[in-house]
Amino acid sequence: MPSVQALATEVAALFAGARRVFYDEFADNRNAWFTGVFQEVELDVIEDGVFKVFWTGRGTSYELYELSSFTDFIAEVDCRIARGGGDGSCALVFAHQKDVGFYKFELFIDYYRLSVIAAAGDPVVLAEGDPRRLTTGDTFNRLHVIRQGERIRVFINDGLVAEVNDTTYPSGRIGVSTACYRAEGGVEVQFDNFAIWSLP
């Protein structure tokens, strides 16, 4: 594991050589995200400069940046579990291949996990842990993924929490995801500053 300073220097160099492909601060819905009611348990709105997802029942869903597929990239988003405590989560999904599978880097208030989600079969957890040494309670926390070939690094608020090598899905779409794990709902998740960079 590199030192904090060495890692910060390496990440800064990656950003310097990357090309930002997409950014949305959710000041409006110019990128045409889905808004409205989905499957009777999810309401998506963009207001107050954030993307808000309200859950009234158990479920999970995601929104993808559909214009490009990515192999080597940096992706990040600020997310907040505004209501629902440990029954809600927010996530970055990446290498999404329709009807095949994707990776999911998921944050709860007291737990994180990086999983491989297949269209059929159970998820495979590649890394997991307690994020609370890095998170800021119920305010916004930044999720950050760097993918370079088989190397996947995931960060919370610029702190590296896991590094794995995996080639299950070498490329695909990138997006954001929320989930409610409580049958009666009561979860609200918010997103801001969703960005994607392509790495050479």
Side-chain angles (χ1 to χ4, degrees):
M1 185 77 72
S3 70
V4 172
Q5 185 56 51
L7 180 62
T9 299
E10 180 189 353
V11 170
L14 286 175
F15 272 109
R19 178 175 63 89
R20 192 169 80 175
V21 176
F22 177 74
Y23 176 69
D24 197 336
E25 61 183 354
F26 300 113
D28 51 40
N29 197 18
R30 68 186 65 190
N31 289 302
W33 301 107
F34 172 83
T35 56
V37 177
F38 182 68
Q39 294 186 342
E40 300 183 352
V41 295
E42 177 190 354
L43 171 64
D44 297 355
V45 300
I46 293 177
E47 63 181 11
D48 305 324
V50 294
F51 187 173
K52 301 178 181 179
V53 182
F54 302 89
W55 287 96
T56 57
R58 187 188 305 273
T60 184
S61 69
Y62 51 80
E63 289 285 333
L64 300 173
Y65 174 69
E66 297 279 9
L67 298 183
S68 295
S69 224
F70 296 88
T71 301
D72 296 339
F73 65 86
I74 302 170
E76 64 184 27
V77 71
D78 296 333
C79 70
R80 175 182 178 227
I81 302 166
R83 286 191 302 123
D87 293 311
S89 74
C90 53
L92 278 168
V93 298
F94 57 98
H96 181 280
Q97 300 176 18
K98 186 177 181 182
D99 300 324
V100 178
F102 55 92
Y103 296 92
K104 186 175 187 179
F105 176 35
E106 187 174 17
L107 177 68
F108 299 78
I109 60 171
D110 58 358
Y111 177 65
Y112 72 84
R113 63 187 171 200
L114 172 64
S115 306
V116 180
I117 312 290
D122 294 330
V124 176
V125 176
L126 300 177
E128 61 186 336
D130 187 335
R132 285 175 288 185
R133 65 184 174 86
L134 296 169
T135 54
T136 55
D138 65 354
T139 59
F140 279 93
N141 292 286
R142 176 158 294 183
L143 299 183
H144 189 93
V145 174
I146 300 176
R147 175 82 184 268
Q148 295 169 285
E150 67 177 20
R151 185 185 190 193
I152 301 170
R153 288 178 285 178
V154 293
F155 302 74
I156 298 171
N157 293 329
D158 298 322
L160 178 66
V161 294
E163 177 175 337
V164 301
N165 291 326
D166 192 88
T167 57
T168 305
Y169 306 121
S171 64
R173 303 284 195 262
I174 297 171
V176 295
S177 174
T178 70
C180 173
Y181 292 90
R182 185 165 59 194
E184 61 270 31
V187 166
E188 177 189 345
V189 179
Q190 301 176 357
F191 288 112
D192 203 0
N193 303 314
F194 177 34
I196 304 170
W197 292 260
S198 178
L199 290 172

